Amino acid sequence: MIKPYRQSQVRVTDAYFSNSCIKDVAYLKSIDTDRLLAGFYETAGLPMKKERYGGWESMLIGGHTLGHYLTAAAQGYVNPGVDKEDKDVLYKKITDLIDGLLECQAASKGKPGFVFGAKIMDPSNVELQFDHVEFGRTNIITESWVPWYTLHKLLDGIMCVYELTGYENALKLGSGIGDWAYARCSKWSEETRTHVLGIEYGGINDALYELYKNTGKKEHLDAAHVFDEETLFKKVYSGEKNVLNNHHANTTIPKFLGALNRYMILGDEASEYLEYVKAFWDMVVERHTYITGGNSEWEHFGEDNVLDTERTNCNNETCNTHNMLKMSRKLFMITGDKKYADYYENTLINAILSSQNPDDGMTMYFQPMATGYYKVYGTPFDKFWCCTGTGMENFTKLNDSIYFKQDNNIYVNMFVSSVLEDTELGLELIQQSSLPDAGSCTLSVKLADKEAAVEAAVCIRIPDWATGYKLKVEPAKGSWSGEPVSENGYMEIRRIWKDGDKVELGFDMKVKACGLPDCDSVFAFRYGPVVLSADLGCEDMQDGSTGVIVTIPTNKLVKNEYIKVNEGTVEEFIRDINSHFEKDPDELKFVLKDTDQELVFGPHYRKKRERYGIYWYFTDSSADEAGREEERKRRELEEKRRVNILDVVQPGYGQYEVDELHAMEDNGSTGITNNGTSRSADPGGGFVYHMKAAAGEDMLLELHFLREDNGKTIRVFAGEEVIYDKRLHYIGSEEEYVVLLPISKELADKYMEHRTLSDGTQADTLPIGFKSGAWMPSARVFGFIYLLKDYTKQQ
């Protein structure tokens, strides 16, 4: 198996990468560990030294940030790019947190080994969240959010501390958590296990496997396996069409990370798990991934190869890309397949580097793929999203996948200025890279013993974006008559190296077009390893909120996202796209020529708060004008629908139901997050959302139902008036279908609520309710509920 170099062996010298790490470390230093520990002390019945942080940390998911923090800080501690003073600060914070958690574990009011930091619902039963999950009670304000997910983040951070720093208390702490997990989950019936696995649990299997690797305790291995969803794994492996549709992406990806860790620990005994993961990776990358390497819309996978239709302001949750990179790294180590390294480079640059504000280190939740939006970032101390946590982790480990090793083969996977120290071979490999601004890269060999000679192979990845390359070995003395061997996508230079030897690399870079499978006229562009996006200015940028205080850009603004080529067909234009991009001689910037718009493009990862466009529609004057006009009208109608969306709720996914705006009233209902999200009213019960509405406007309520619920009834209310009361009887062939319900402005105004939210903003909301009959649960409301202005009446 190919092995990574330890982080302590690789020092990044690239200015942009280094700044990202520096900003991240500054943020980690500013975090108050007593506030991170506050919820854990409270749960253990110990006096809190300080109040807990706000945002997600004050809710039923509280404590997840501490786990992320431990991982990020441990990575920073061993990173040679972090100076000693900062390392000392991080180590003190790490040990304070581990020791504080051990104190809480020893005083636990739960069963032995239990330690948890979420908001307490019942001081007499601090494990109540876990009880509720076992019975499918999932109101994230009053019952449970995702306690196993939260525990995964905590245990993952604890194990990272132990493996990177060797701090023994971390292993003691983690082992206690593993013992508690085994004691709980080993007693589950299959019905209880099904309830638990239906709620997001992150990669708790992954963390427990990692724990087992360090403790060797069979109980930890058995506990991990309880969370392996073999039914899902086998469905994905079968290649079944649309198998990921409506699955929450960042619930699903970590499940497969756990499967991969099972294989890495057990080997051939679990060989099928490797095949499951390889099939999943292929499915996500080939059917669900945008040019940046990101995936998902509103946190969920859609249908296979449906990507253009789902470009919005809420694509590509950053946690997804974080976890896909972890998976890609391990798959490369196992298989040596270059495709995983190609994906890693592309996604690290264009999704991860792109997610951080280089000025202050804050990071993004969603990364919009719809043209005309812009980047929005979290805040240091009052949000603490999941993506805040993975954002902490991403930038203290930028050095961990540049180089790998197998025997005496050194793999160069990324072209980033850096220094590799291989103490076994007694050499340093110094990389100086001009990418992406230019295509040159130099690798210099420095030996510990200047008079020595080292036999090794340097294997250099041939990147998928290179349209050509040159390689030249320049020995410090004499000449080299050998030739590099091209094998499996790598240039292998096997020789006896001496101090001062160099390898000169030159890559040819051109602009390339990348389309989407569900539209043959939409394109995005790459230059070398970087995705390009067009600059669209900073006019009228209005931030909003979705879910539980997740910040998003709300208003799309683009003059015209349809570009008409001046001559020839779109196909001809795209085939020769490089000739239509005029490169600035002084900086990495391009002007699109020979069209009816002169757009200026630059590296997307370097953009901060300006509006941008990655994907653009192209048209020409070819003969099929009628077909193109029909397609244009379809897109315009879809865009009209999109811009008239007033509000969205995701039934069954608590984060987007019980936030302050939507304030779900649960009068007896059941939420489901497995195989898509949905909510149904229990017999005699119901539920209500308060959805943002437009006073004085006719509106449409868009509901999604499932064909398999035919025969079930549901009543839908706007305010107190019934707008739909039917037994479902869908005769179409689709598994999921849409029902549009008109709401007149007179009806809406009658029940309109004029509210002031806690941040001072004004909101007009309309209660939208759902009820069942007396004896049977209602049909499920599936996927998403949209309230829109009635765009069908607009000119």
Side-chain angles (χ1 to χ4, degrees):
M1 184 181 292
I2 297 171
K3 296 180 179 179
Y5 281 95
R6 297 189 305 275
Q7 274 192 264
S8 59
Q9 294 178 276
V10 181
R11 177 168 55 88
V12 171
T13 57
D14 175 87
Y16 200 98
F17 277 59
S18 296
N19 176 72
S20 292
C21 180
I22 289 168
K23 292 297 192 294
D24 192 17
V25 169
Y27 176 42
L28 295 175
K29 288 169 59 182
S30 73
I31 295 287
D32 188 329
T33 53
D34 285 336
R35 297 191 70 180
L36 284 182
L37 282 167
F40 293 90
Y41 281 121
E42 184 181 20
T43 302
L46 299 172
M48 294 189 295
K49 298 177 182 179
K50 293 182 181 177
E51 67 177 358
R52 64 169 78 228
Y53 279 114
W56 286 21
E57 280 301 302
S58 65
M59 302 176 185
L60 292 182
I61 198 173
H64 79 106
T65 302
L66 190 151
H68 288 295
Y69 183 93
L70 286 172
T71 299
Q75 291 169 172
Y77 174 70
V78 297
N79 189 326
V82 177
D83 65 40
K84 185 179 184 309
E85 181 180 339
D86 287 344
K87 285 175 181 280
D88 292 343
V89 172
L90 292 179
Y91 188 75
K92 177 68 163 57
K93 286 179 176 287
I94 289 167
T95 54
D96 284 350
L97 287 170
I98 295 294
D99 293 346
L101 290 171
L102 264 178
E103 182 184 1
C104 293
Q105 192 178 57
S108 175
K109 296 171 68 177
K111 293 184 174 62
F114 182 72
V115 60
F116 206 58
K119 182 181 73 172
I120 295 177
M121 294 177 291
D122 181 356
S124 68
N125 182 4
V126 293
E127 297 184 26
L128 187 58
Q129 264 208 76
F130 293 87
D131 295 343
H132 281 164
V133 165
E134 291 177 9
F135 289 99
R137 298 171 186 157
T138 58
N139 184 303
I140 72 168
I141 297 297
T142 62
E143 294 177 333
S144 64
W145 195 335
V146 282
W148 285 103
Y149 166 97
T150 307
L151 194 68
H152 157 233
K153 298 304 175 187
L154 181 64
L155 183 56
D156 194 49
I158 292 167
M159 296 316 301
C160 191
V161 167
Y162 176 68
E163 292 176 348
L164 293 181
T165 73
Y167 192 53
E168 288 290 341
N169 279 353
L171 185 59
K172 179 181 177 182
L173 173 66
S175 186
I177 293 172
D179 293 346
W180 173 87
Y182 173 76
R184 186 169 193 111
C185 68
S186 62
K187 299 174 183 176
W188 289 342
S189 66
E190 191 56 37
E191 181 182 10
T192 299
R193 179 174 178 267
T194 299
H195 278 308
V196 175
L197 268 57
I199 306 300
E200 182 177 4
Y201 56 84
I204 187 65
N205 52 347
D206 185 28
L208 287 166
Y209 280 126
E210 199 66 22
L211 177 65
Y212 166 72
K213 186 172 76 174
N214 288 281
T215 66
K217 293 181 69 171
K218 185 177 183 300
E219 292 85 355
H220 299 161
L221 176 66
D222 291 345
H225 194 41
V226 168
F227 291 91
D228 288 331
E229 282 191 59
E230 289 190 333
T231 301
L232 172 65
F233 298 163
K234 290 175 181 177
K235 285 177 69 176
V236 167
Y237 181 67
S238 74
E240 180 180 323
K241 182 180 179 183
N242 292 327
V243 68
L244 295 180
N245 188 30
N246 289 311
H247 277 68
H248 185 260
N250 199 48
T251 299
T252 309
I253 299 168
K255 296 177 183 181
F256 283 85
L257 276 171
L260 189 57
N261 211 359
R262 181 174 178 82
Y263 168 77
M264 294 183 78
I265 290 170
L266 299 182
D268 290 343
E269 180 184 336
S271 59
E272 69 275 18
Y273 277 70
L274 174 60
E275 300 309 313
Y276 297 153
V277 178
K278 287 161 63 178
F280 175 75
W281 190 94
D282 287 343
M283 185 176 287
V284 172
V285 172
E286 293 170 7
R287 306 184 195 180
H288 298 277
T289 296
Y290 290 98
I291 189 173
T292 60
N295 61 67
S296 79
E297 195 262 346
W298 281 93
E299 303 191 3
H300 285 67
F301 292 121
E303 295 181 2
D304 290 352
N305 301 313
V306 177
L307 290 164
D308 180 54
T309 305
E310 295 199 339
R311 289 192 298 114
T312 67
N313 57 336
C314 292
N315 294 115
N316 297 8
E317 182 186 352
T318 306
C319 285
N320 299 354
T321 47
H322 167 88
N323 283 314
M324 284 298 294
L325 286 183
K326 290 174 72 173
M327 184 180 295
S328 301
R329 182 176 189 260
K330 290 182 176 181
L331 285 171
F332 170 75
M333 289 162 54
I334 294 166
T335 68
D337 194 325
K338 186 180 78 78
K339 70 180 182 182
Y340 301 118
D342 285 335
Y343 174 85
Y344 195 101
E345 178 193 52
N346 177 63
T347 306
L348 180 71
I349 294 171
N350 299 301
I352 297 300
L353 281 185
S354 180
S355 72
Q356 187 197 46
N357 185 332
D359 294 337
D360 60 14
M362 293 298 98
T363 54
M364 302 171 69
Y365 195 110
F366 292 119
Q367 300 187 34
M369 290 293 102
T371 295
Y373 288 108
Y374 53 93
K375 299 180 181 180
V376 293
Y377 305 96
T379 53
F381 308 119
D382 61 357
K383 294 287 197 298
F384 292 108
W385 308 321
C386 52
C387 295
T388 306
T390 50
M392 291 178 181
E393 296 183 34
N394 287 332
F395 300 100
T396 55
K397 64 169 184 175
L398 292 173
N399 60 337
D400 80 342
S401 296
I402 300 173
Y403 305 100
F404 293 83
K405 186 177 183 181
Q406 186 177 38
D407 300 324
N408 66 341
N409 295 347
I410 299 172
Y411 288 85
V412 180
N413 267 14
M414 293 184 62
F415 306 101
V416 178
S417 293
S418 52
V419 178
L420 165 67
E421 182 181 6
D422 189 321
T423 52
E424 289 183 0
L425 292 176
L427 65 75
E428 283 187 356
L429 191 64
I430 302 166
Q431 180 177 173
Q432 293 176 297
S433 173
S434 65
L435 271 72
D437 297 277
S440 62
C441 180
T442 300
L443 299 171
S444 302
V445 174
K446 181 179 178 181
L447 298 184
D449 181 350
K450 304 298 183 186
E451 303 303 318
V454 174
E455 183 176 355
V458 175
C459 307
I460 302 166
R461 180 177 65 93
I462 305 171
D464 59 347
W465 45 260
T467 56
Y469 63 89
K470 295 178 181 178
L471 182 150
K472 182 181 179 182
V473 177
E474 294 188 355
K477 296 178 181 178
S479 61
W480 184 56
S481 58
E483 290 288 336
V485 176
S486 179
E487 186 173 350
N488 299 323
Y490 283 80
M491 296 175 280
E492 181 182 299
I493 309 167
R494 184 172 297 279
R495 67 188 302 269
I496 295 174
W497 299 90
K498 296 184 179 180
D499 187 65
D501 288 351
K502 290 184 179 181
V503 179
E504 300 282 352
L505 294 165
F507 296 109
D508 296 332
M509 298 187 290
K510 294 182 179 179
V511 175
K512 292 183 178 181
C514 301
L516 290 174
D518 54 331
C519 179
D520 61 5
S521 61
V522 68
F523 296 96
F525 306 100
R526 302 173 64 179
Y527 177 75
V530 298
V531 171
L532 303 176
S533 62
D535 306 328
L536 299 179
C538 301
E539 183 182 349
D540 192 28
M541 290 160 59
Q542 300 173 19
D543 294 352
S545 182
T546 189
V548 181
I549 58 172
V550 174
T551 311
I552 58 172
T554 60
N555 63 326
K556 172 173 175 165
L557 189 60
V558 54
K559 183 178 179 181
N560 184 5
E561 59 184 304
Y562 293 86
I563 298 173
K564 188 171 184 178
V565 303
N566 291 343
E567 294 182 5
T569 66
V570 169
E571 183 180 356
E572 292 167 339
F573 186 87
I574 294 299
R575 189 185 306 134
D576 191 28
I577 191 64
N578 188 68
S579 69
H580 303 295
F581 273 85
E582 184 179 285
K583 188 176 183 297
D584 189 290
D586 300 318
E587 59 180 310
L588 193 54
K589 186 169 69 175
F590 300 83
V591 178
L592 179 63
K593 295 288 190 179
D594 309 316
T595 71
D596 62 350
Q597 298 186 57
E598 276 206 356
L599 295 167
V600 178
F601 287 77
H604 181 64
Y605 80 90
R606 294 179 182 173
K607 286 186 168 57
K608 290 184 279 190
R609 278 283 289 180
E610 60 267 41
R611 293 184 185 275
Y612 61 80
I614 293 177
Y615 285 97
W616 296 86
Y617 295 108
F618 283 77
T619 65
D620 56 40
S621 301
S622 64
D624 188 18
E625 199 61 44
R628 292 185 183 280
E629 183 61 23
E630 183 179 337
E631 178 65 14
R632 179 191 285 268
K633 286 180 179 179
R634 183 193 67 77
R635 289 200 200 106
E636 287 179 346
L637 182 63
E638 175 58 32
E639 182 60 25
K640 187 182 285 188
R641 171 194 170 276
R642 191 177 292 168
V643 300
N644 279 286
I645 293 173
L646 296 165
D647 197 10
V648 186
V649 176
Q650 186 177 356
Y653 193 58
Q655 178 183 335
Y656 296 104
E657 297 179 294
V658 298
D659 56 293
E660 183 184 12
L661 177 68
H662 297 123
M664 182 181 76
E665 300 170 26
D666 188 353
N667 303 310
S669 69
T670 299
I672 299 294
T673 59
N674 203 17
N675 295 320
T677 65
S678 64
R679 186 168 292 279
S680 59
D682 295 337
F687 55 101
V688 178
Y689 303 116
H690 299 266
M691 299 189 70
K692 188 182 294 184
E697 296 268 6
D698 291 328
M699 289 178 285
L700 292 173
L701 182 66
E702 180 183 309
L703 303 177
H704 294 236
F705 295 113
L706 296 173
R707 183 176 61 176
E708 64 187 60
D709 277 359
N710 272 354
K712 293 183 179 180
T713 61
I714 190 166
R715 285 185 293 159
V716 184
F717 295 76
E720 297 178 7
E721 296 197 23
V722 177
I723 59 173
Y724 189 77
D725 186 359
K726 288 189 177 181
R727 184 179 301 276
L728 300 188
H729 182 63
Y730 173 66
I731 60 174
S733 60
E734 300 296 323
E735 294 299 322
E736 175 188 349
Y737 63 97
V738 173
V739 171
L740 290 176
L741 305 178
I743 301 174
S744 69
K745 58 188 175 184
E746 292 80 13
L747 173 59
D749 289 348
K750 180 178 178 180
Y751 295 103
M752 194 73 69
E753 304 163 323
H754 306 288
R755 299 161 58 195
T756 302
L757 303 181
S758 59
D759 63 359
T761 59
Q762 303 296 309
D764 289 339
T765 57
L766 181 65
I768 300 295
F770 304 86
K771 290 186 178 181
S772 66
W775 308 109
M776 296 287 290
S778 74
R780 290 166 290 175
V781 187
F782 185 78
F784 296 93
I785 300 169
Y786 296 89
L787 190 61
L788 313 94
K789 294 180 183 178
D790 191 346
Y791 59 93
T792 64
K793 295 182 178 180
Q794 298 173 359
Q795 298 298 316

